[in-house]
Amino acid sequence: MTNFSYVILIPLIPLTVFLVTGLLGMKWKPLVSGVIGTVGLGISFFLSLFAAYQYFFATASAGGYHTIIPVNMLWLSFTSTLQIHMGVLLDPISVMMLVVVTTISFMAHIYSLGYMKGEKGFQRYYAFLSLFTFSMLGVVLSTNIFQMYIFWELVGASSFLLIGFYYDKPSAVAAAKKAFIVTRFADLGFLIGILILSFYTGTFDFSKLMQPGTSLFAGITGVSFLGISGITWAMTLIFMGAAGKSAMFPLHIWLPDAMEGPTPVSALIHAATMVVAGVFLVARMFPIYHFHAPDVLIFIGYVGGFTSLFAAIIAMTQFDIKRVLAYSTLSQIGYMMVALGVSGYGGEAGLGYTAGMFHLFTHAMFKALLFLGAGSIIHTVHSNLMKDMGSLRKYMPITHITFLAASLAISGIPPFAGFFSKDEILTAAFHANKLLFYVEYITAGITSFYIFRLYFNIFWGKDTNYEHKPHESPLNMVIPMIFLALGATFGGFIPFHDLVTSNMKPFADKLNILVSLPSVAIGLVGIAAAWILYKKENDLSDRIAKSLGVLYISTFHKFYIDELYLFVTKKIIFNGIARPIAWFDSKIVDGFMIGIGTVTMKISYKIKGLQSGELQQYAFVFIAGTIILALFLLYTLGFH
């Protein structure tokens, strides 16, 4: 058996870098922190690649892959069975996620050396990047669900720090708080789900919970609340945590605002790693969903389907390039949830599971590339708005080519990576749920339209008179983009059905022409529509927007979901519930307690003369009391 104990170094290196740069970073030049962080992540990256090679090729067998736990230490013990360990779990999805997290983080570290150069708080930035990477690696390597929850919360904390990096900017502070509050609300559901599940099964360990047909769930399936079984409640609440972290509707409102953070942060956290944590959680718990809560799995598919279409429609009307990509991320995460929702266990029935993980991998490459490309553009134009851009292909040839590769990948155009993973999702949906299939087909066309609307507005369109002549980004920003462009172009040729499956056994997969050809066709239609409207400057798009009237305005304002949340929180919760409770607390509860104190003080003031300290008064009271007591006794004894 291959020794994988070295894998523990992959998360421990970023943790060490965080501690060193966080505590000592201000004592040396800013660039030193960046170099230390980048070198540390580089080591973790190469260790992850080596671990993936060992796991998938050196230890592979004809019967599939096995779960390996090279490190596992007892941390807390409640009973002989209910214990919490801290360790490392390796299986196909955790090894795949190791590669994704370290790859995107390593590219973001290199890219940030150029993008963040000269920024105030450079050392702090790299410390937070390392903390986030450590947290995310802790999530994917966890041996049990409670260990995952601990790192899950640490991911939220480090995300809060990175989104609010520009702490002197009110919008960044507000965005950080919004992300933290929304995801904490969702994580409360996650925690309750964990407690319900562990209470009835008596374990937190994935290795025990993931066994198909295990008798651990006999107790939880036998209880119900409001007519719904305990296992359904537990798995729905666990999905609530996943929906919050992956920004599924209606918990999606934090992600677009999170674009206030530095652009490399958007690429790392909000495109490729943090937002897919929810997808990873559902995939990790997939055997439980499939065997014991299939109705919840169907619900997950519909939530993903609605979110993918909803977010794609909004993306068509946004003008901030990072917000377009943010809503694109929501849509693509929805695709992954649909894939898991329509999947079965093992073989071709489990195509959706494999497709979802495949799309997670390819999406990490092309979406991180899109964000880094956007950062390269913002770096030279000093604006996020499309109206300030145009014809940049003349000035930024490498950014142009790499951005085009990512755009073709997300549009599902062969032979780019997105074509293969999206085609497998559509094929799985076609066999399992026709409604979700058609929803995702429509979403595919909208996706290619909005991404090429973005592409043409930036690199073609009007020839803007720039105040400063645009230029290509420095080498340390360009190299990560080229690397990710290679992944977005050739990543689709990886045989995922031989590597990552729902039952860890490979299965034969082939291209479904009946699904893929129309998929490519609808993608080309979307690109053609964007070509007509945006390749050359014209007013056709404005006329169409005006003709749509209220529909366009509603879409531009994101269907007023944020305003609805504000109405519910401010008008109903704060004014209708919180204020009356605050009045009752201050006037009734506090008033009652203050009243007791006031009465006590007044009585004390009246009787304080009884303890004057004068000996004559005490003697008088004593003698008078004695006489009164004697007279009372004489009276009661009958001496009248």
Side-chain angles (χ1 to χ4, degrees):
M1 177 68 73
T2 304
N3 184 5
F4 284 95
S5 58
Y6 67 88
V7 172
I8 192 66
L9 295 174
I10 297 174
L12 288 183
I13 291 171
L15 175 61
T16 304
V17 170
F18 162 69
L19 294 173
V20 170
T21 55
L23 295 173
L24 304 175
M26 297 303 293
K27 296 183 183 296
W28 49 55
K29 292 181 179 180
L31 185 62
V32 176
S33 293
V35 172
I36 291 174
T38 304
V39 170
L41 248 297
I43 296 171
S44 290
F45 167 66
F46 286 110
L47 285 176
S48 296
L49 292 181
F50 183 65
Y53 168 76
Q54 278 196 310
Y55 183 85
F56 286 120
F57 301 104
T59 65
S61 65
Y65 302 100
H66 302 283
T67 299
I68 300 171
I69 303 179
V71 179
N72 203 29
M73 299 171 288
L74 180 62
W75 183 45
L76 292 174
S77 180
F78 299 103
T79 68
S80 59
T81 56
L82 192 59
Q83 300 173 333
I84 300 177
H85 291 78
M86 299 292 281
V88 169
L89 183 151
L90 297 178
D91 66 355
I93 58 170
S94 64
V95 174
M96 181 269 293
M97 285 296 293
L98 271 183
V99 174
V100 168
V101 173
T102 55
T103 299
I104 304 304
S105 184
F106 185 40
M107 295 301 109
H109 274 71
I110 298 173
Y111 184 91
S112 297
L113 291 172
Y115 188 86
M116 297 298 290
K117 184 179 180 181
E119 285 279 3
K120 178 184 176 183
F122 188 84
Q123 301 96 321
R124 174 168 53 90
Y125 172 80
Y126 268 92
F128 291 166
L129 275 188
S130 297
L131 176 62
F132 170 79
T133 306
F134 162 69
S135 308
M136 193 65 205
L137 290 170
V139 168
V140 302
L141 291 173
S142 294
T143 60
N144 62 82
I145 195 169
F146 206 89
Q147 180 187 349
M148 177 185 277
Y149 184 78
I150 293 169
F151 284 101
W152 188 274
E153 293 305 300
L154 195 54
V155 165
S158 50
S159 172
F160 169 82
L161 294 171
L162 284 166
I163 295 169
F165 175 76
Y166 299 116
Y167 59 85
D168 53 353
K169 187 178 176 184
S171 57
V173 174
K177 290 192 293 185
K178 188 176 184 179
F180 194 77
I181 292 168
V182 172
T183 53
R184 289 301 72 68
F185 175 76
D187 292 350
L188 174 62
F190 185 17
L191 178 60
I192 295 171
I194 291 173
L195 296 176
I196 294 173
L197 185 67
S198 61
F199 177 81
Y200 284 100
T201 59
T203 184
F204 293 111
D205 292 344
F206 289 131
S207 58
K208 297 177 181 177
L209 292 170
M210 298 304 116
Q211 296 294 330
T214 179
S215 60
L216 287 174
F217 297 92
I220 194 170
T221 54
V223 298
S224 65
F225 177 68
L226 298 178
I228 300 174
S229 70
I231 187 65
T232 299
W233 277 113
M235 300 313 294
T236 302
L237 288 166
I238 287 173
F239 172 65
M240 182 178 171
K245 200 71 81 183
S246 287
M248 292 290 96
F249 181 90
L251 300 174
H252 67 285
I253 57 170
W254 67 268
L255 184 63
D257 288 7
M259 297 301 110
E260 292 289 343
T263 302
V265 170
S266 301
L268 174 62
I269 297 181
H270 307 117
T273 54
M274 174 181 164
V275 289
V276 299
V279 179
F280 174 79
L281 173 59
V282 175
R284 168 62 72 216
M285 309 290 283
F286 185 79
I288 302 177
Y289 281 111
H290 176 73
F291 289 108
H292 305 287
D295 47 346
V296 181
L297 197 59
I298 295 170
F299 171 71
I300 290 170
Y302 281 112
V303 170
F306 179 82
T307 303
S308 64
L309 181 59
F310 173 81
I313 291 171
I314 294 175
M316 291 192 294
T317 62
Q318 302 303 300
F319 292 97
D320 183 316
I321 62 174
K322 287 178 69 176
R323 285 185 180 269
V324 173
L325 295 178
Y327 281 103
S328 173
T329 299
L330 293 177
S331 184
Q332 296 301 304
I333 299 296
Y335 257 102
M336 300 173 206
M337 290 294 189
V338 167
L340 294 172
V342 299
S343 188
Y345 189 78
E348 291 187 5
L351 176 62
Y353 179 96
T354 297
M357 296 299 98
F358 194 9
H359 200 59
L360 188 157
F361 180 85
T362 60
H363 174 264
M365 301 301 163
F366 60 69
K367 184 55 64 64
L369 175 56
L370 286 169
F371 269 108
L372 295 187
S376 178
I377 294 157
I378 294 167
H379 186 260
T380 192
V381 176
H382 306 292
S383 173
N384 289 27
L385 301 177
M386 282 188 263
K387 68 181 181 62
D388 298 324
M389 304 168 189
S391 295
L392 284 176
R393 71 188 187 283
K394 300 175 184 177
Y395 311 102
M396 307 177 73
I398 299 176
T399 300
H400 170 232
I401 294 299
T402 55
F403 199 96
L404 177 60
S407 300
L408 290 168
I410 195 175
S411 299
I413 305 302
F416 294 90
F419 163 73
F420 297 95
S421 56
K422 187 181 292 186
D423 177 72
E424 289 192 356
I425 293 175
L426 292 172
T427 301
F430 179 77
H431 292 299
N433 190 313
K434 291 295 193 295
L435 175 60
L436 288 176
F437 168 73
Y438 289 117
V439 166
E440 297 313 310
Y441 239 55
I442 295 168
T443 304
I446 296 173
T447 299
S448 59
F449 172 77
Y450 71 64
I451 205 67
F452 272 89
R453 169 180 175 264
L454 185 66
Y455 165 76
F456 287 126
N457 271 300
I458 294 171
F459 296 104
W460 297 79
K462 62 182 182 299
D463 198 347
T464 305
N465 293 319
Y466 295 101
E467 185 177 347
H468 303 286
K469 185 178 179 181
H471 56 83
E472 188 57 87
S473 296
L475 200 60
N476 49 16
M477 292 173 64
V478 167
I479 289 175
M481 292 161 59
I482 294 172
F483 181 88
L484 292 172
L486 293 173
T489 304
F490 302 108
F493 294 101
I494 297 174
F496 249 67
H497 54 276
D498 290 336
L499 305 175
V500 182
T501 60
S502 56
N503 65 348
M504 296 197 289
K505 296 178 181 179
F507 67 93
D509 183 35
K510 56 185 178 181
L511 198 65
N512 189 325
I513 300 297
L514 296 176
V515 173
S516 59
L517 287 181
S519 172
V520 173
I522 198 169
L524 292 173
V525 168
I527 294 172
W531 175 293
I532 294 168
L533 293 174
Y534 303 106
K535 185 174 182 291
K536 294 182 179 179
E537 188 176 9
N538 62 72
D539 65 346
L540 184 58
S541 61
D542 294 331
R543 297 207 312 267
I544 293 172
K546 190 175 291 185
S547 68
L548 292 173
V550 176
L551 180 60
Y552 175 83
I553 294 170
S554 299
T555 306
F556 177 74
H557 289 284
K558 301 159 283 188
F559 296 103
Y560 300 99
I561 300 296
D562 285 86
E563 289 77 3
L564 178 61
Y565 268 101
L566 286 174
F567 174 79
V568 171
T569 53
K570 287 188 174 181
K571 300 295 184 182
I572 298 177
I573 297 176
F574 292 169
N575 292 339
I577 300 174
R579 287 186 187 276
I581 292 174
W583 180 88
F584 180 83
D585 180 63
S586 63
K587 301 298 184 183
I588 307 301
V589 178
D590 288 355
F592 178 72
M593 300 307 296
I594 292 170
I596 292 174
T598 302
V599 171
T600 303
M601 287 176 65
K602 287 182 177 181
I603 294 173
S604 300
Y605 183 79
K606 295 292 184 182
I607 66 173
K608 69 178 182 179
L610 295 175
Q611 292 188 346
S612 63
E614 296 179 1
L615 183 60
Q616 297 92 328
Q617 182 185 6
Y618 292 164
F620 172 77
V621 172
F622 175 75
I623 294 170
T626 303
I627 293 171
I628 292 170
L629 182 60
L631 291 173
F632 177 75
L633 289 172
L634 290 172
Y635 179 82
T636 54
L637 293 173
F639 294 97
H640 300 292

